[in-house]
Amino acid sequence: MPAKKRILITSALPYVAGVKHLGNLVGSMLPADIFARFCRARGHETVAICATDEHGAPIELAALEEGIGPREFCDKWHAVQKKLGDDFGLAWDNFGRSSSPANHELTLHFARQLWKNGFLELKTTKQAYSPTDGRFLPDRYVIGTCPHCGYERARGDQCENCTRVLDPVDLIHPRSAVSGAQDVEIRDSTHLFLKQSQFAGKLRNWIESHKQDWSPVVTSIAFKWLDEGLRDRGITRDLEWGIPVPDDIADGALKGKVFYVWFDAPIEYIAATKEWADRNGKDYRDWWQGPASSSEAVGQTKKDVTYWEFMGKDNVPFHTVGFPVTIMGSGEPWKLVDRLKGFNWLNYDGGKFSTSGKRGIFMDKALEIAPADVWRYYLIANAPESSDSNFTWEHFAGVVNKDLADVLGNFVLRVTKFCVARFDGKLPGEGVYGDEEKALIAELDRRIKTYTDYLEAADFRKAMGELRAIWVAGNEYLTRAAPWTHIKTDRDRAAIGVRMGLNLVHVFAHLTWPVMPELAKTIHLAIQPVGYANGVVPWVDDDTAAALDSLIPGQPITPPEVLVTKITDEQVEELKARFGGAA
RNA sequence: GGCACCGUAGCUCAGUGGUAGAGCAGGAGAAUCAUAAUCUCUUGGUCGGCGGUUCAAAUCCGUCCGGUGCUACCA
């Protein structure tokens, strides 16, 4: 086993409003959880953090529409997301909320540091305002006729019809998307701007240093922002719901305004870690802060911590520019991300998953169709790592039926059932492993090493390909060992095949646990009715030979029920019809 | 409009300078322990088009076509 390390893992925060779709899941929360489970299985001291992102105009407006307060609105949806996360086996050490007291406190801390250090300045901007609504309107909440193509429902930031970038003042007959009021006017509004441009050099050096361990999609997005020239960014908004700007910043000039959601959301990673640490008698600074008062120590921590972030590519700019500037500008030794794992998009049947268009599959509906573990395996085995990937029901059914039902599920059943039929349901101890077994051990030794390396690098598609190859190796072995033939003439030889088969099942359960925790548990219980501490199934030791001869002869074997139910062609047709969406 | 990424077998995808790969699907055979599940062998591709660099290009450069995304006040 490797030396124990501290691993800090954060998943991009799901926006609190609404149920997330599978594209959101596979791009951040699921890989973060699989990676966290893998790290825990290897014995690393691991903290996995996620939270709901609870600020921003959409929440304030959605709450208004429902006739409830934003706090109440967030309470409701946070509970929904927490439940769905639990149902999908997302085992966070803390699933926090960006509206928490801890995040208010830390966000103000960072803002004050930035203000004190001169990295914030006041600027007056022109902003659409609706007297009827009594509020400023973000650009996309102003709707009107596109001056280029005449489309009547063009948004103030971009026309969906001709894709041109717009400014709200460009629109003909502008009106509020909130109320439809046509009295939209332009007013001055003063805001705090973060001087990102001053950090361009530092950021570039930092990102350069990660060219080898971040994927091209991440570095290319980061460099694109730098190459275009970093602009200072407004970090406050004219909203009521959010973290209020305190009077001691800018002498109260920003009374009644709140921090921009993207300013406070990443800080919630730290705040949620603090909540976890406080509850567990630990110090969050061991995970996030370096030696006190050393500006050279940015990026370092007191302990040896490796910090991993998981996110979809839309989040990359905020994690390679915005949040790092907040940290650097604080002048304090906070931890910067070490490994930034970005994902492309999962498409649905050739088009986009769309929350607003209700197109695609959402977390709650997915669980009505197949168990969480089935989705976990399918999604991560086909994760959009190097480019966008495409979901189709045929593909889903093919992978579930072949990989999970046939290759893995059937293997567990054929071995355990044969043991019951011919060896009285007790693990047979007769015979000694021979050449066939030694060859298998050598192959698995190599494959487990490869699988481990891929997971350590968070290279998920390749890891799942290797895991599948490990399952296949089990079937290949069993065909060669053919205990069903030898049982007729050589009981000891048949016993060897069954014993190895059962040990394989046992090892499969361990290797599968980070990806499919519930299924792994079921498989494990079929042959080894002993649980593990804290629900963590440990990784397989480097000694593969020992791992494949670890079960005690005589112990009872109980074949499980069918592990993975197949998806029929008829069901595929039904699902296509049901989830087709407006193409 | 600008920029970025992508275009490899019927499908989903590896492969980033040195004789085209995997899984699935398709074809042939073996086995019969098992969810008719498994195992073996096997048919498929002028690597989007054109031009260039090179002894050598899927890989580097240019250009065109097609797809997707971003464009900083959605998150």
Side-chain angles (χ1 to χ4, degrees):
Chain A
M1 294 296 263
K4 277 196 178 184
K5 288 187 280 195
R6 286 194 167 190
I7 313 283
L8 171 63
I9 298 165
T10 62
S11 164
L13 308 187
Y15 202 57
V16 73
V19 174
K20 301 300 108 178
H21 57 61
L22 297 184
N24 300 131
L25 181 62
V26 73
S28 54
M29 297 180 279
L30 176 60
D33 180 67
I34 290 171
F35 189 71
R37 285 173 182 272
F38 169 68
C39 291
R40 293 184 194 117
R42 301 213 82 196
H44 297 314
E45 195 178 347
T46 306
V47 178
I49 297 295
C50 193
T52 40
D53 179 10
E54 304 198 348
H55 295 136
I59 289 165
E60 193 167 302
L61 295 170
L64 200 64
E65 199 164 309
E66 285 190 30
I68 57 178
R71 165 67 64 189
E72 199 183 336
F73 179 87
C74 291
D75 287 349
K76 181 180 85 175
W77 283 105
H78 174 82
V80 169
Q81 304 233 17
K82 177 79 173 73
K83 167 81 166 54
L84 284 169
D86 289 344
D87 290 348
F88 265 94
L90 305 176
W92 310 115
D93 291 293
N94 187 19
F95 187 70
R97 308 178 59 171
S98 68
S99 62
S100 69
N103 196 39
H104 273 250
E105 194 179 311
L106 263 172
T107 298
L108 294 188
H109 171 80
F110 276 104
R112 285 176 174 133
Q113 285 297 116
L114 291 167
W115 177 253
K116 188 182 87 184
N117 294 336
F119 294 123
L120 297 181
E121 65 180 346
L122 290 171
K123 279 190 197 174
T124 299
T125 59
K126 305 277 184 195
Q127 186 67 44
Y129 184 87
S130 164
T132 301
D133 299 331
R135 63 166 62 244
F136 282 97
L137 298 170
D139 288 358
R140 69 164 38 195
Y141 287 96
V142 182
I143 291 179
T145 302
C146 174
H148 303 288
C149 71
Y151 180 63
E152 289 181 359
R153 292 196 51 81
R155 290 192 319 232
D157 57 345
Q158 183 167 29
C159 174
E160 286 176 348
N161 189 48
C162 67
T163 75
R164 281 188 213 239
V165 176
L166 301 174
D167 199 273
V169 297
D170 298 334
L171 293 173
I172 301 160
H173 306 306
R175 58 191 188 277
S176 161
V178 178
S179 61
Q182 299 190 16
D183 57 351
V184 174
E185 57 188 52
I186 302 299
R187 287 194 184 177
D188 284 346
S189 181
T190 302
H191 286 287
L192 279 175
F193 276 70
L194 178 59
K195 297 180 180 174
Q196 296 189 142
S197 52
Q198 295 194 7
F199 294 85
K202 276 182 100 165
L203 285 172
R204 187 178 290 278
N205 290 338
W206 174 61
I207 292 161
E208 281 288 348
S209 74
H210 285 293
K211 268 178 99 169
Q212 296 307 312
D213 53 12
W214 293 359
S215 67
V217 67
V218 171
T219 49
S220 70
I221 290 170
F223 282 128
K224 185 197 142 203
W225 276 58
L226 291 169
D227 291 343
E228 287 180 358
L230 279 186
R231 281 174 253 165
D232 298 338
R233 183 165 194 132
I235 60 158
T236 51
R237 293 292 183 272
D238 291 292
L239 293 171
E240 287 173 18
W241 174 241
I243 298 177
V245 181
D247 286 346
D248 55 282
I249 290 179
D251 295 327
L254 297 164
K255 211 172 209 25
K257 307 197 184 212
V258 300
F259 285 103
Y260 175 40
V261 57
W262 262 115
F263 182 71
D264 73 68
I267 295 171
E268 166 65 4
Y269 293 149
I270 306 175
T273 310
K274 184 172 188 300
E275 285 179 339
W276 164 82
D278 289 349
R279 279 205 296 267
N280 291 280
K282 295 172 189 283
D283 186 347
Y284 77 105
R285 288 170 298 193
D286 285 346
W287 297 85
W288 278 100
Q289 276 199 341
S293 68
S294 164
S295 59
E296 298 303 309
V298 170
Q300 304 298 313
T301 52
K302 288 185 222 171
K303 311 273 178 154
D304 179 22
V305 176
T306 305
Y307 174 26
W308 285 77
E309 287 177 348
F310 292 82
M311 70 194 72
K313 60 185 172 186
D314 55 330
N315 274 245
V316 168
F318 302 103
H319 291 79
T320 54
V321 177
F323 188 38
V325 166
T326 298
I327 284 176
M328 291 172 178
S330 73
E332 299 172 329
W334 297 94
K335 181 86 183 147
L336 289 169
V337 64
D338 295 301
R339 297 294 295 267
L340 199 163
K341 177 77 180 178
F343 288 82
N344 289 281
W345 304 124
L346 177 68
N347 288 319
Y348 178 74
D349 214 3
K352 274 194 294 185
F353 271 90
S354 165
T355 302
S356 54
K358 294 182 180 161
R359 184 167 190 281
I361 312 149
F362 293 78
M363 283 172 74
D364 52 348
K365 298 295 176 194
L367 291 173
E368 295 172 9
I369 296 158
D373 280 353
V374 165
W375 284 109
R376 287 172 64 106
Y377 174 80
Y378 174 81
L379 289 170
I380 205 67
N382 297 284
E385 283 182 304
S386 60
S387 65
D388 294 352
S389 69
N390 193 33
F391 177 92
T392 64
W393 287 106
E394 286 90 345
H395 192 240
F396 174 68
V399 169
V400 171
N401 293 348
K402 187 69 182 174
D403 292 8
L404 297 184
D406 296 347
V407 175
L408 174 63
N410 181 58
F411 180 78
V412 174
L413 290 198
R414 68 194 295 211
V415 173
T416 52
K417 285 192 176 179
F418 189 78
C419 179
V420 166
R422 297 295 190 156
F423 290 94
D424 200 24
K426 293 189 169 56
L427 190 130
E430 299 95 320
V432 177
Y433 283 172
D435 290 347
E436 203 67 77
E437 287 71 31
K438 282 173 187 159
L440 172 69
I441 288 164
E443 180 186 356
L444 280 195
D445 194 49
R446 200 176 62 243
R447 288 198 181 280
I448 291 170
K449 175 79 166 56
T450 305
Y451 176 51
T452 304
D453 288 347
Y454 281 142
L455 280 180
E456 237 168 19
D459 209 340
F460 293 107
R461 287 183 86 116
K462 287 178 177 165
M464 292 308 109
E466 200 58 35
L467 179 60
R468 183 187 186 284
I470 288 168
W471 300 337
V472 167
N475 280 303
E476 290 171 358
Y477 166 78
L478 209 59
T479 298
R480 292 195 298 271
W484 48 86
T485 303
H486 294 304
I487 190 73
K488 296 167 189 162
T489 55
D490 185 345
R491 189 175 170 82
D492 283 9
R493 195 166 170 190
I496 293 169
V498 172
R499 189 163 74 253
M500 177 57 93
L502 291 166
N503 273 284
L504 282 167
V505 169
H506 180 231
V507 167
F508 290 178
H510 282 249
L511 297 177
T512 300
W513 178 76
V515 187
M516 296 186 282
E518 287 304 311
L519 188 69
K521 201 167 94 184
T522 303
I523 293 172
H524 194 268
L525 289 176
I527 52 165
Q528 184 91 305
V530 181
Y532 283 101
N534 307 319
V536 173
V537 175
W539 205 239
V540 178
D541 276 334
D542 290 340
D543 189 347
T544 306
L548 287 171
D549 201 8
S550 65
L551 298 181
I552 298 159
Q555 73 182 56
I557 302 299
T558 315
E561 295 299 307
V562 166
L563 286 169
V564 177
T565 309
K566 291 203 198 189
I567 298 162
T568 63
D569 291 347
E570 292 72 37
Q571 285 174 296
V572 168
E573 290 310 312
E574 283 170 24
L575 290 164
K576 281 168 75 174
R578 180 175 160 202
F579 287 92

